[in-house]
Amino acid sequence: MRLFQALIFTILITTSVLAQKGNNQKVTLSKTEFIEQLLSKMTLEEKIGQLNLPTSGDITTGQASSSDVAKNIKEGKVGGLFNIKTAEKIREVQKIAVEQSRLKIPLLFGMDVIHGYETTFPIPLGLSSTWNLSLIERSAQIAAKEASADGINWTFSPMVDISRDPRWGRVSEGSGEDAYLGSEIAKAMVRGYQGKDLSLNNTLLACVKHFALYGAPEGGRDYNTVDMSRIRMYNEYFPPYKAAVDAGVGSVMASFNEIDGIPATGNKWLMTDVLRKQWNFNGFVVTDYTGIQEMMEHGVGDFQTVSATALNAGIEMDMVSEGFLKTVKKSVEEGKVSMERVDQAVRLILSAKYDLGLFDDPYRYCDLKRNKTDIFTVAHRNEARKTAAESFVLLKNDKGLLPLKKSGTVAVIGPLGNNAVNMPGTWSVATKHEKAIPLEDGMKSVLGKSVNVLYAKGSNLVADAAYEERATMFGKTLYRDNRSKEELLNEALQVASKADVIVAALGESSEMSGESSSRTELGIPSVQKELLDALLKTGKPVVLVLFTGRPLVLVEESQKVAAILNVWFPGTEAGLAITDILFGDESPSGKLTATFPRSVGQIPIYYNAKNTGRPLGNTEGKFEKFKTNYIDERNEPLYPFGFGLSYTQFTYANLQLSADKMRSNGKITASVEITNTGNYDGKEVVQLYIRDVVGSVTRPIKELKGFQKIYLAKGQKQTVTFEITEEDLKFYNSELEFIAEPGTFHVFIGTNSDVTEYKPFELVK
Ligand code: BGC
């Protein structure tokens, strides 16, 4: 034993992994040898300790060793901690692990670094709307740099759950409804966080979540039952998780929901057959918060049973439940969990720590100087501003109301118009919310004296004070105004009367979406709608700047308001980025990644639907008996997937394929000419969709298979080409084999998923 302690001491104080052999000859151990040696010295209790992930609890700076969790760390009962930050505090806690626990194994330090750290980028749904993979990757890179400067080495991101249900509040945390786009973004995020070398002190271990299908709860109610066919899972919901695994993500988080009647946390088919055997995942799996404990509520066993089920299913780390800590020893003694399975799980945790470089230097991420140079820097904030501006989606712009002129008086009216703390959006735990820039401040700082900017609140968020409380948790207050509705409205109308243009800053508060924030009604809250109506009645031009964490139902607004700019929750630089777009320093270039329905009754609604046996065809808008449609609503959405306007116009022409046949291992090229025919320079997201016309199973009417974001100066023309290979034509058939079937395919290239013009080709084998 003394020999091992000498070994681990050597390991911890040197930068290379060295061991003392009996004859005192130093040899470099391979990673496997190192882990096996360490494992061989561990007691069963110490092994189980590595699988335990508590929250940081009562740890405060300078007091770490007297905290409750410190006792467990000293006893080797903790593998990692989360919800703790600052290099100083983390150094203190790490010191307890590497100096006071018997085996001196360093800890992982995790946090929900979801869309930036202190410099906060748009919510993920907004980030995805940029369709700009390099910006997205860069946002993750910056988040990694900032979080690691604060001592963190593991992030619970990316969240890649596909969702077609905007009632579910967590649509805000994902990349929308499409598996292809979601996969590309998943890879970009993993690359951004983990970089090329995980052991560098400015990269983080990523964790793809929530595996799996968390975005498809019944009724859109968070944590609710999920039930779906395997063929749908493989084709429509699994791809982004698999893409993250293929990109080398180091960890996976289990979801709260059940799959095939078994909670994901205890689902062996999911965690072992799919994740390990089919996808060759070689990192570790962590539960979600109290995931193991919740299996008791799901009704699948007592504490010992569910803990053993989870471990045997393929979970390696237990977040908060302490089910492993408290019951696995007994399960091993009773033969319910094998020693081999425990060892396998420990190896994976140690392996992540090894890859992060923690055995070389447990304080690698605890540089006490970096937080002054690497967090919330001007350069990072500029990136966040640029990214936010690219995430905004222009939904309507009649008669070129936007961009606004940089002169005269603008009245910013609405509860979201000068509120800092709601700008970063949900799941922004490391943000200093009060440092975010609201719209009014942003306008004043960008426009200076050229524009006179006025502000009035106009209304509260919602009429019901109790609802407002539920919608403004975690300090995200909207400072409820206790004046009457009429008083607030009158004040707003007075301010509006002095203005040339009204900018109505309306929508959701940031906590109206996110975890446990499901909604059944998806309009702008009615008290704000009344405000909007009153503003419209003034006859002055009104621009709606919409804040939202999900697709909303905007039928009335789309009819009444001349210009609608959807800004999601833009992050810390919100007010600056919105001003950049409103006043034309940048042209909007975001496109929706989730369909905006016309009514809640259409949900789930998504562009890549199946044709059915009774399609409505091109009589859309007219009811037809015995066709698939509603008697009280149209089929098509208000705004389709991929939709977004620019200040300029892009004309598509001359769609061409390089051949009308493709051989099995061959490829063809699709091209189209795009011209900027409007009056501004701008960016366009060119989208490639393919339809597999006949299959052994029914195929969607259209699937995104490529996209490019291009910049065209006013008057400029460009031919955009896409290469199509057999890989792009593959899908999972009824045997769940990933194959391409010979036959006809239609190729569409357009500005959104509504594109109708196509060119056909044949895949011949
Ligand atoms: C969420 C996860 C998150 C975890 C840790 C859970 O409630 O579902 O997304 O990573 O908490 O904070």
Side-chain angles (χ1 to χ4, degrees):
M1 190 53 61
R2 224 176 291 135
L3 185 65
F4 176 74
Q5 286 183 352
L7 159 69
I8 199 106
F9 182 67
T10 312
I11 291 161
L12 293 174
I13 59 165
T14 59
T15 47
S16 60
V17 179
L18 299 169
Q20 296 277 340
K21 273 248 171 119
N23 59 5
N24 251 357
Q25 196 193 341
K26 281 188 177 176
V27 290
T28 302
L29 293 179
S30 71
K31 175 178 163 185
T32 312
E33 287 165 339
F34 173 78
I35 289 173
E36 290 310 316
Q37 279 210 12
L38 186 46
L39 194 64
S40 71
K41 309 292 174 188
M42 295 171 83
T43 64
L44 176 56
E45 286 85 346
E46 283 164 336
K47 289 177 182 174
I48 294 169
Q50 285 303 305
L51 313 184
N52 185 35
L53 177 70
T55 55
S56 62
D58 57 346
I59 294 176
T60 48
T61 309
Q63 308 288 320
S65 60
S66 59
S67 67
D68 289 346
V69 86
K71 184 171 167 286
N72 278 347
I73 297 172
K74 285 179 207 161
E75 288 170 9
K77 290 181 177 165
V78 178
L81 265 189
F82 73 106
N83 275 348
I84 175 167
K85 62 173 198 173
T86 79
E88 200 184 353
K89 215 196 280 185
I90 288 176
R91 175 177 276 272
E92 227 182 298
V93 178
Q94 190 72 296
K95 197 159 185 263
I96 301 173
V98 301
E99 289 184 7
Q100 297 184 52
S101 74
R102 190 180 73 94
L103 291 179
K104 309 184 184 326
I105 300 174
L107 301 171
L108 292 173
F109 290 94
M111 186 177 263
D112 289 279
V113 180
I114 308 293
H115 48 111
Y117 189 69
E118 239 178 77
T119 303
T120 308
F121 288 80
I123 54 167
L125 189 58
L127 264 182
S128 71
S129 305
T130 65
W131 295 62
N132 187 332
L133 295 174
S134 51
L135 276 189
I136 293 171
E137 179 173 341
R138 180 87 185 117
S139 78
Q141 210 175 58
I142 288 173
K145 190 171 168 199
E146 293 199 359
S148 60
D150 233 0
I152 292 150
N153 50 41
W154 182 24
T155 175
F156 303 138
S157 175
M159 151 16 177
V160 304
D161 304 315
I162 294 294
S163 187
R164 296 162 167 180
D165 195 333
R167 292 171 298 184
W168 188 55
R170 299 195 86 170
V171 287
S172 54
E173 285 177 66
S175 296
E177 70 189 35
D178 185 65
Y180 176 84
L181 178 62
S183 300
E184 293 302 303
I185 292 176
K187 288 187 271 183
M189 297 286 286
V190 172
R191 284 195 303 266
Y193 288 131
Q194 297 194 162
K196 288 204 173 72
D197 180 357
L198 251 191
S199 73
L200 295 179
N201 75 350
N202 59 6
T203 53
L204 298 178
L205 180 73
C207 181
V208 67
K209 72 188 187 186
H210 307 84
F211 192 57
L213 319 180
Y214 182 40
E218 288 178 356
R221 202 179 71 216
D222 209 1
Y223 319 125
N224 203 6
T225 306
V226 172
D227 193 6
M228 96 171 47
S229 65
R230 294 252 163 123
I231 198 166
R232 172 165 271 184
M233 292 180 200
Y234 275 82
N235 281 311
E236 301 166 37
Y237 284 77
F238 277 174
Y241 307 110
K242 181 171 186 300
V245 169
D246 291 343
V249 73
S251 64
V252 168
M253 187 185 291
S255 58
F256 287 126
N257 54 280
E258 66 175 65
I259 291 171
D260 292 337
I262 301 171
T265 309
N267 195 315
K268 193 165 191 174
W269 170 76
L270 186 72
M271 296 301 170
T272 300
D273 296 355
V274 176
L275 187 60
R276 299 275 174 206
K277 295 188 183 152
Q278 292 172 20
W279 298 356
N280 299 317
F281 175 61
N282 57 19
F284 71 90
V285 184
V286 62
T287 71
D288 202 343
Y289 204 104
T290 59
I292 290 179
Q293 231 169 290
E294 289 173 29
M295 286 170 72
M296 292 191 284
E297 295 288 350
H298 276 286
V300 292
D302 61 21
F303 203 33
Q304 185 186 346
T305 308
V306 296
S307 303
T309 304
L311 188 52
N312 287 333
I315 299 287
E316 276 82 33
M317 204 168 215
D318 168 0
M319 187 193 284
V320 178
S321 295
E322 298 199 340
F324 288 173
L325 196 66
K326 293 185 175 146
T327 71
V328 164
K329 184 165 183 246
K330 187 159 181 265
S331 290
V332 171
E333 285 159 4
E334 291 171 0
K336 291 174 180 155
V337 168
S338 69
M339 208 46 213
E340 180 45 35
R341 173 62 195 134
V342 173
D343 284 350
Q344 196 185 16
V346 176
R347 277 186 196 106
L348 293 170
I349 306 290
L350 296 178
S351 167
K353 293 180 176 182
Y354 187 100
D355 293 343
L356 281 165
L358 292 172
F359 287 110
D360 278 347
D361 176 8
Y363 305 114
R364 178 164 297 232
Y365 303 87
C366 299
D367 180 337
L368 298 179
K369 284 188 232 105
R370 275 186 61 208
N371 71 343
K372 289 186 192 69
T373 53
D374 289 4
I375 299 180
F376 207 57
T377 64
V378 173
H380 292 176
R381 294 180 64 189
N382 284 338
E383 289 269 353
R385 175 174 175 175
K386 189 170 79 184
T387 308
E390 278 210 26
S391 76
F392 303 159
V393 184
L394 183 64
L395 296 175
K396 187 176 174 191
N397 192 21
D398 264 9
K399 301 195 190 102
L401 173 55
L402 289 175
L404 300 175
K405 285 194 214 65
K406 288 184 180 167
S407 61
T409 299
V410 175
V412 176
I413 309 240
L416 277 313
N418 81 343
N419 181 286
V421 297
N422 275 265
M423 292 302 102
T426 190
W427 271 122
S428 46
V429 286
T431 306
K432 303 229 162 69
H433 287 87
E434 62 293 344
K435 284 196 193 166
I437 303 173
L439 181 52
E440 184 197 359
D441 297 8
M443 273 193 196
K444 286 181 172 159
S445 99
V446 175
L447 303 169
K449 291 207 169 71
S450 59
V451 178
N452 182 25
V453 181
L454 308 174
Y455 173 75
K457 187 168 185 181
S459 83
N460 280 311
L461 175 73
V462 286
D464 176 2
Y467 182 8
E468 179 155 334
E469 224 170 274
R470 295 195 291 278
T472 53
M473 287 182 161
F474 313 122
K476 310 277 184 75
T477 178
L478 276 161
Y479 305 100
R480 194 167 175 83
D481 195 315
N482 289 324
R483 282 176 291 170
S484 72
K485 195 165 91 179
E486 291 69 30
E487 280 174 290
L488 282 168
L489 191 59
N490 285 339
E491 181 187 65
L493 290 175
Q494 259 191 6
V495 169
S497 72
K498 297 180 196 139
D500 304 302
V501 182
I502 300 167
V503 172
L506 308 177
E508 296 191 314
S509 61
S510 72
E511 295 311 306
M512 276 171 90
S513 62
E515 188 169 353
S516 189
S517 287
S518 297
R519 293 180 65 194
T520 59
E521 196 279 317
L522 295 184
I524 294 175
S526 53
V527 66
Q528 295 186 54
K529 280 183 152 196
E530 289 169 39
L531 168 63
L532 182 61
D533 283 341
L535 296 173
L536 289 166
K537 268 203 202 122
T538 63
K540 302 208 176 200
V542 176
V543 177
L544 170 58
V545 171
L546 179 73
F547 292 83
T548 181
R550 52 157 61 81
L552 291 180
V553 172
L554 299 168
V555 177
E556 287 171 27
E557 294 76 9
S558 73
Q559 288 157 0
K560 294 193 250 186
V561 190
I564 307 178
L565 181 71
N566 174 16
V567 299
W568 312 108
F569 289 97
T572 39
E573 312 311 306
L576 305 175
I578 300 171
T579 308
D580 292 340
I581 294 287
L582 285 181
F583 290 85
D585 286 345
E586 304 273 345
S587 182
S589 65
K591 302 262 191 173
L592 299 178
T593 58
T595 303
F596 273 44
R598 303 178 62 85
S599 60
V600 172
Q602 291 181 314
I603 297 168
I605 182 168
Y606 47 95
Y607 83 95
N608 50 348
K610 302 288 184 73
N611 204 36
T612 82
R614 294 186 175 197
L616 194 53
N618 48 17
T619 59
E620 176 62 75
K622 258 199 257 150
F623 173 74
E624 274 203 62
K625 195 72 184 166
F626 306 119
K627 294 276 172 136
T628 178
N629 56 177
Y630 302 95
I631 55 173
D632 64 347
E633 182 57 278
R634 303 160 70 108
N635 278 4
E636 87 265 30
L638 183 62
Y639 299 116
F641 174 84
F643 177 82
L645 303 171
S646 165
Y647 292 154
T648 196
Q649 275 86 45
F650 297 101
T651 309
Y652 284 64
N654 210 7
L655 171 64
Q656 280 188 351
L657 299 183
S658 58
D660 56 9
K661 286 201 172 44
M662 184 170 119
R663 300 227 152 256
S664 240
N665 290 318
K667 58 180 184 210
I668 61 168
T669 305
S671 65
V672 74
E673 282 167 20
I674 301 166
T675 313
N676 180 343
T677 49
N679 292 322
Y680 299 86
D681 301 341
K683 287 183 185 160
E684 165 73 338
V685 180
V686 185
Q687 301 161 41
L688 169 83
Y689 295 90
I690 298 182
R691 177 172 189 178
D692 182 355
V693 181
V694 176
S696 58
V697 294
T698 59
R699 307 283 294 121
I701 49 175
K702 204 178 266 167
E703 288 178 297
L704 183 74
K705 290 293 176 184
F707 60 90
Q708 289 175 37
K709 192 160 192 176
I710 59 164
Y711 171 82
L712 288 182
K714 184 180 154 185
Q716 204 185 341
K717 178 170 164 180
Q718 188 183 323
T719 300
V720 172
T721 59
F722 293 92
E723 198 169 84
I724 302 171
T725 68
E726 194 180 354
E727 265 320 282
D728 300 311
L729 310 178
K730 287 186 175 169
F731 64 98
Y732 291 90
N733 67 9
S734 56
E735 304 302 315
L736 301 180
E737 297 154 339
F738 192 55
I739 47 135
E741 294 176 343
T744 306
F745 293 82
H746 293 170
V747 178
F748 308 74
I749 304 180
T751 185
N752 66 54
S753 64
D754 248 2
V755 53
T756 50
E757 193 198 334
Y758 65 84
K759 286 276 188 282
F761 76 91
E762 299 285 317
L763 173 68
V764 286
K765 293 238 173 174

